[in-house]
Amino acid sequence: MVDEVTPEELYERLGSDDAPQVIDIRNEAEFEKGHIPGAINVPMSQLPSRIDEIDWGDDVVVACPIGQSSIQAARLIGSYEDVEDAENVRSMSGGYRAWEYELESGSEATPAEE
């Protein structure tokens, strides 16, 4: 079972020292229109082939349009051997449909640039 984090909980943690790594699994065009600040875009269709390319953080939150695909993606990420604690890979409940906060646009955003 995958734990979920609410958009409010995620938003509150984004500016903190313990901000989670946000993985946005929407396609590139949707990501460029607007995404959670600092999110990394890894479309769901590419996730299985790119999973070993990513330097996974200690706390990962997966975001998708409505909060369903992100549960499957979180399970996949949590099963990857380089992810130390699968319990720290969660899905954002409600997805972008439930996100009521400001979004970044463009494709250049990464956590290192924040």
Side-chain angles (χ1 to χ4, degrees):
M1 175 137 198
V2 172
D3 287 335
E4 291 185 300
V5 61
T6 67
E8 295 79 19
E9 291 169 326
L10 177 58
Y11 179 76
E12 288 173 9
R13 291 190 55 210
L14 282 180
S16 69
D17 290 338
D18 69 338
Q21 179 181 34
V22 179
I23 304 296
D24 185 324
I25 61 168
R26 299 176 302 155
N27 68 46
E28 188 175 332
E30 290 173 327
F31 180 81
E32 288 181 5
K33 288 179 187 175
H35 52 268
I36 294 168
I40 299 170
N41 184 223
V42 184
M44 183 67 167
S45 62
Q46 298 175 14
L47 186 60
S49 63
R50 292 184 53 196
I51 200 163
D52 62 347
E53 297 174 12
I54 298 166
D55 185 17
W56 296 102
D58 293 333
D59 191 5
V60 177
V61 174
V62 183
C64 73
I66 61 171
Q68 295 299 312
S69 300
S70 56
I71 292 172
Q72 294 174 332
R75 281 189 191 125
L76 176 64
I77 295 166
S79 69
Y80 182 58
E81 63 188 28
D82 283 356
V83 174
E84 291 184 25
D85 190 352
E87 291 180 14
N88 290 335
V89 181
R90 294 171 290 158
S91 169
M92 184 175 77
S93 62
Y96 274 91
R97 181 177 60 189
W99 183 262
E100 299 176 352
Y101 307 99
E102 192 171 324
L103 297 173
E104 286 183 335
S105 59
S107 61
E108 300 303 314
T110 64
E113 294 177 4
E114 284 296 303

